[in-house]
Amino acid sequence: MSGRNISRRKALSLAGMGAAAAASAYQTLATPALAQTAIRWNMVTSWPRDLPGPGVSARRICEAIGTMSDGKLTVDLHSAGELVPALEVFDAVADGTAEMGHTASFFWQGKMAAAPFFTAVPFGLTPLEHMCWIERGGGQEVWDALYEPFGVRPFMGGNTGFQMGGWYKRRVTGLDDLKGLKIRMPGLGGEVMRRLGATPVSLAPGEILPALQSGLVDATEFLGPSGDLAMGFHQAAKFYYAPGWHEPNGTGEALIGAKALEELPGDLRAIVLHAIRAENALSVAEGEWMNALQLNALTEKHGVTVLPFPDDMIRAARRVTGEVLADFEEMGGADAAVYRSFLKAREAMGPWTHANELQYLTARG
C-alpha cells in the first residue's frame, strides 16, 4: 500500500515536471507563433482620407478593430484611389482585392437597382428611422439578400445625419430652373432630378469640386455642412439649398467579403461587427453636432446663403419620387423585396415620428 502511494507521488511529480517543461517550451515559442498567425486585412474606401464624416468613420473602424483585437487583426486603410478607384470599392471587396470597404450603397445602383435604399431614399426615412428599419424592421435581411450573389456582406458603417439640398451656382426660383441643369446627384434623387428635367452627373467625391469650378456641373449635393465645408464647395457656389429631400439620411456602408468574414475566428468576427456598429452610432451624434457648428461657419465666415427650395419644386419632386419608387414593385425579386420592406418600415415609423418628434419640434419653435 505504501509502495503504491510512493509510486503515485512519483508519477504526479514526473507529470508536473513534464507540464512545467511543456509550459516553458510554449512560452519560448508563443510570441513568434502568435506574430506569425496575426491577420492583416485591407480596407478600400470611396473617400478622401479623413474626410469629415465617412472618411473619419472608415479610419476609426480600422483603429477599433486593431485595438480591440490586441493586434490579432490589423486593417490597413486605403483612401480613394490609393488601391482602387473610389467607385470600384464594391468590386474590390467582391473579388477579394480587399477584405473590407467603406463607401455608400447608391454607387452600386448599376449593379443592383435597389442598392440606394440603404444610403437614403428621397422623402424617405430620417437617420433614426433608417437605423430602426435596418436593426429591427427587416432591413438588414433584405440588404443581405441583395448583396449575397456577389459574396459581400453589408453593414451600416457610419451616418452623416440629415443632408442638405446641395450647392447651386445660381438661384433656383422655380421648377423651370431645373431644365438642363447639370447636377452631381447619385442614387434615386438623381433619377428624380432627371425626370424633372435636370441632367444628373455621377462623380466620385474627389472629382466634385473641380467639376463645379470648371462648369462641368452647375450644382452638386454631397453631405451636410461639415463634410461640404471640408470639400470646399463654397469656393465655387454660394447658394446652399435645403432641405435635403433627396437624402434625408446619410448612411455609409461597411462592406466585408463574406468568405473573409466566415474564415475569422469567432472572437475576431465579433470584434469586427461590434466596431462597425459602434462607429455607426457615434457618427450620427458627431455628424449632427459638427453640421450645426459648420453651418454657422459657412454663413458667417464664408458668406454662403442658405435658401429653401421653391414650393413648386418640392411638390413636383415628391410626386415624381412616388413614381420612381413604384417602379421597384414591377422589378420583382430582391429589388422588389427591398422596396416593400422599406415601405413597410416607413408606414410603421411615420405615425410615431409625426405624433411625437414633428409635434415637439413645432412646439419648440
Side-chain angles (χ1 to χ4, degrees):
M1 196 63 188
S2 173
R4 285 197 299 272
N5 288 337
I6 292 172
S7 177
R8 184 180 297 120
R9 284 196 297 270
K10 286 184 178 180
L12 291 172
S13 176
L14 289 172
M17 291 172 61
S24 176
Y26 175 78
Q27 289 175 354
T28 302
L29 297 173
T31 301
L34 287 175
Q36 290 171 2
T37 58
I39 301 170
R40 201 169 199 97
W41 277 10
N42 287 305
M43 174 192 280
V44 292
T45 82
S46 296
W47 323 115
R49 185 171 293 272
D50 273 344
L51 172 70
V56 172
S57 285
R59 172 175 55 78
R60 286 197 300 230
I61 289 171
C62 294
E63 292 173 347
I65 291 171
T67 299
M68 289 193 291
S69 71
D70 196 24
K72 294 177 183 176
L73 175 58
T74 300
V75 184
D76 294 326
L77 177 66
H78 303 274
S79 59
E82 289 183 356
L83 190 59
V84 300
L87 302 186
E88 294 182 16
V89 168
F90 187 94
D91 289 340
V93 177
D95 66 22
T97 299
E99 289 80 9
M100 293 188 72
H102 197 281
T103 183
S105 67
F106 53 45
F107 291 137
W108 325 128
Q109 189 172 4
K111 295 179 181 296
M112 301 160 285
F117 278 81
F118 301 101
T119 292
V121 175
F123 299 100
L125 303 174
T126 68
L128 182 56
E129 288 175 332
H130 185 92
M131 291 171 67
C132 291
W133 173 42
I134 299 299
E135 292 279 14
R136 289 293 181 264
Q140 187 66 58
E141 288 78 4
V142 292
W143 199 5
D144 288 341
L146 190 68
Y147 284 29
E148 184 179 14
F150 301 91
V152 174
R153 292 287 307 279
F155 302 94
M156 294 186 294
N159 195 315
T160 51
F162 283 94
Q163 309 293 281
M164 284 290 281
W167 298 83
Y168 290 70
K169 299 176 77 170
R170 60 179 184 269
R171 285 179 181 266
V172 178
T173 60
L175 184 59
D176 287 344
D177 290 333
L178 297 184
K179 306 299 182 185
L181 180 83
K182 294 174 293 183
I183 181 169
R184 185 270 181 185
M185 183 178 284
L188 301 178
E191 175 58 19
V192 173
M193 290 293 273
R194 186 188 68 79
R195 297 190 190 191
L196 292 176
T199 302
V201 179
S202 181
L203 294 170
E207 300 171 355
I208 301 174
L209 180 58
L212 198 60
Q213 290 171 324
S214 69
L216 180 63
V217 294
D218 307 307
T220 185
E221 63 76 46
F222 188 54
L223 299 174
S226 179
D228 290 359
L229 177 61
M231 295 291 282
F233 300 140
H234 60 282
Q235 300 171 28
K238 291 296 184 183
F239 301 116
Y240 201 22
Y241 277 88
W245 58 267
H246 67 296
E247 288 181 21
N249 170 62
T251 295
E253 65 177 6
L255 303 176
I256 308 177
K259 182 179 179 182
L261 186 62
E262 291 167 4
E263 290 177 347
L264 282 181
D267 59 338
L268 294 185
R269 191 181 313 127
I271 284 171
V272 169
L273 299 183
H274 179 76
I276 293 170
R277 176 173 279 177
E279 175 56 34
N280 190 67
L282 172 61
S283 64
V284 176
E286 183 176 73
E288 291 293 272
W289 180 258
M290 293 305 299
N291 281 336
L293 298 181
Q294 300 300 10
L295 180 61
N296 289 334
L298 285 169
T299 56
E300 296 176 8
K301 182 178 179 181
H302 298 290
V304 171
T305 301
V306 178
L307 297 168
F309 282 119
D311 289 342
D312 65 336
M313 176 186 166
I314 292 294
R315 287 194 300 270
R318 187 165 54 237
R319 172 181 55 79
V320 172
T321 292
E323 298 170 0
V324 170
L325 297 184
D327 290 345
F328 284 91
E329 184 64 57
E330 300 177 5
M331 294 178 187
D335 293 307
V338 170
Y339 164 69
R340 289 193 291 267
S341 178
F342 160 82
L343 200 62
K344 184 178 178 180
R346 190 173 67 173
E347 291 171 350
M349 294 296 300
W352 169 239
T353 301
H354 281 77
N356 186 23
E357 187 172 351
L358 179 61
Q359 296 298 324
Y360 169 69
L361 292 175
T362 301
R364 191 175 74 175

